[in-house]
Amino acid sequence: MIGIVVITHGPLAHGLVTSLKFFSGDTSQLTHVILQDEDSPDDFLKHLKDAVSQVDTNEGIVILSDILGGTPSNQALMFSMNRADVRVVSGVNLMMLIEAVLSRAVVHDLDDFVNKIIQSGKDSILDLTKQFSQSQSDEIDDIDSLI
């Protein structure tokens, strides 16, 4: 199974993993690393390497980062340069994480897996007010039918 590491500035990674448990009880081969104020880039890299070793079963690792160009994503990218089985994806959101956990049992190709979770993350970003306004003119009575 593909291992997943969520990395963020501050406690967002912990919150995402905790929220994931509402949707999926399976958090095996999933961990998170938080960049603390007092952490140097080298400190963070050490924590990241430890986290990757916890979830690595030689089937690939996906590191989900919060911000492109931040210390977590930069350190993960440098780490991934020496590992053909590691992918780093920025812009993590809860839907991406849910998709990742649910899909890794059936999608085993690392590139396909990454593409699937990126698309899921993009698809979950909508202007719901605008979507609802347009649908309301079509006399939609059930809000669940909007999604």
Side-chain angles (χ1 to χ4, degrees), residues 8 17 111 124 138:
T8 63
V17 171
D111 291 327
S124 72
D138 295 335

Side-chain angles (χ1 to χ4, degrees), residues 71-83:
T71 298
S73 67
N74 289 346
Q75 292 300 311
L77 183 59
M78 286 192 296
F79 172 74
S80 74
M81 293 295 126
N82 299 318
R83 297 272 309 255

